[in-house]
Amino acid sequence: ELMPQARQTLMDFVRAGGGLFVTMGDQVNIDWMNSQLRPLLPGELRGVKGQAILGDKDTAESLGLGRFMTDHPIFAPFVNSGDDEVLPGLARVTAHSLMLLEPEPSFERHVLARFSNDAPALIERNVQQGRVLLWTSSIDRDCCDLAIRPGLVPLLHQIVRYLDQALHSV
């Protein structure tokens, strides 16, 4: 939990041009996130949607990453010229649970990657001069296998560079 002054410092940082990367996981307090960080999030958190247990061969419900906004600066370096195939280390990511968000008509947000059921996986929101990226699953092994995929380090590198505004805007 953030103290009020730390929360305000974070809000001011993002609004002034800072970047924030938020990931979900099995310990996320949805009510707290919505009440405390809602002005920064790309939508109100609705709840966790569970699919299958990773590695369960009897269940075909695990979600893969299905679509990428390949012209976005985060993914652009990984796209093979001419065929829009994104780094294979990301295309093989599977998740068994993800956070759902409410639709948000009051501001613009961009879905940069989607799971195979079309649910958003990576969402961007501009907050005044800053940027917020939300990964709707975990980056550890609790909800998703991104942590063991070869795309994790290059993806996080691009995210950090983008949030630092070292890359061109969309």
Side-chain angles (χ1 to χ4, degrees):
E1 195 164 313
L2 290 176
M3 300 298 291
Q5 185 172 352
R7 178 185 173 272
Q8 189 60 50
T9 300
L10 178 62
M11 301 264 195
D12 293 344
F13 168 76
V14 172
R15 290 176 179 144
L20 177 64
F21 181 51
V22 180
T23 67
M24 296 291 101
D26 61 353
Q27 301 295 312
V28 170
N29 181 327
I30 295 169
D31 293 333
W32 182 87
M33 294 282 286
N34 284 332
S35 69
Q36 298 297 307
L37 298 180
R38 181 67 189 91
L40 299 177
L41 296 174
E44 183 177 343
L45 304 180
R46 187 166 65 188
V48 175
K49 178 177 175 61
Q51 292 295 322
I53 297 172
L54 289 176
D56 184 354
K57 294 181 182 0
D58 297 326
T59 308
E61 287 283 333
S62 290
L63 300 173
L65 283 178
R67 271 193 344 234
F68 300 91
M69 185 184 282
T70 56
D71 60 345
H72 192 278
I74 288 175
F75 299 118
F78 306 121
V79 177
N80 297 323
S81 60
D83 65 4
D84 285 349
E85 182 180 336
V86 176
L87 181 70
L90 294 179
R92 294 187 183 117
V93 169
T94 59
H96 68 84
S97 49
L98 60 116
M99 182 64 65
L100 299 175
L101 278 75
E102 294 292 341
E104 185 56 66
S106 65
F107 56 79
E108 188 175 0
R109 63 184 182 185
H110 303 281
V111 178
L112 307 183
R114 292 185 179 274
F115 287 109
S116 53
N117 68 350
D118 214 33
L122 183 62
I123 308 167
E124 176 183 21
R125 175 184 179 194
N126 292 327
V127 179
Q128 294 180 7
Q129 301 302 312
R131 298 175 175 148
V132 177
L133 290 173
L134 172 69
W135 175 254
T136 62
S137 192
S138 65
I139 58 170
D140 61 14
R141 299 263 344 250
D142 290 338
C143 303
C144 180
D145 67 359
L146 178 61
I148 62 168
R149 298 296 178 185
L152 173 68
V153 172
L155 175 65
L156 291 179
H157 181 256
Q158 286 298 111
I159 286 172
V160 169
R161 287 186 65 212
Y162 181 71
L163 290 175
D164 189 39
Q165 303 199 15
L167 300 176
H168 299 290
S169 296
V170 177

